[in-house]
Amino acid sequence: MWLNQRTLDAIRLMAELSARWPQAVKAADLATATGITFLNVQKTAHALSRSGLLEAERGRYGGLRLVRSADEIKVAEIVRAFEPTDCPANFLLTDQTDDPVAKLMFRAHRGFFQPLEETSLADIETRAVAGQGQAAPRSIRVRA
């Protein structure tokens, strides 16, 4: 299964916010820190806010912040907010069918999501910002 770029951007934004939690972070600062364009930060943050994963506060002292601590948010929650939710019904009925294709697809789907379900935002960290006013590379690594 492939994830679209907006989903990857959402994971990067949430990881950056987790590193700064509970402080609110301006969208412009997130764009600089992650290398994601300001417009895409705004669009992605809006969708994350509608999904109940982050809160946005307007005003001079406002910004974006996680609604829960990073260890309470699983990466799979972020992925589900951005990826299509429609899947063939036979995925859900694999114990009631002999269709080998349906069983294979269910195992593949489960295999893809299992690590995302087990990984919290606290388990991942963003790379250090390269320098003041310079965009950091757009990558995430998992803590060992």
Side-chain angles (χ1 to χ4, degrees), residues 2-14 44 48 75-76 78-84 116 140:
W2 294 98
L3 300 177
N4 66 52
Q5 186 61 48
R6 193 162 175 211
T7 304
L8 298 175
D9 287 349
I11 295 169
R12 288 184 180 98
L13 289 177
M14 294 290 282
T44 304
L48 287 165
V75 175
I78 303 165
V79 171
R80 284 193 187 96
F82 287 89
E83 293 299 320
L116 302 176
I140 294 176

Side-chain angles (χ1 to χ4, degrees), residues 14 17-18 20-26 30 48-49 52-57 61-68 73:
M14 294 290 282
L17 287 169
S18 74
R20 301 181 190 203
W21 192 79
Q23 298 173 339
V25 182
K26 302 279 186 197
L30 284 171
L48 287 165
S49 179
L53 294 169
L54 66 79
E55 60 186 6
E57 188 175 323
Y61 301 106
L64 304 167
R65 75 170 56 87
L66 303 178
V67 296
R68 302 185 309 261
I73 300 174

Side-chain angles (χ1 to χ4, degrees), residues 31-76:
T32 300
T34 60
I36 300 169
T37 66
F38 179 72
L39 182 61
N40 284 340
V41 167
Q42 287 183 311
K43 288 179 181 179
T44 304
H46 179 70
L48 287 165
S49 179
R50 286 188 7 202
S51 299
L53 294 169
L54 66 79
E55 60 186 6
E57 188 175 323
R58 291 180 169 222
R60 182 176 181 165
Y61 301 106
L64 304 167
R65 75 170 56 87
L66 303 178
V67 296
R68 302 185 309 261
S69 66
D71 59 332
E72 297 176 7
I73 300 174
K74 300 295 184 186
V75 175

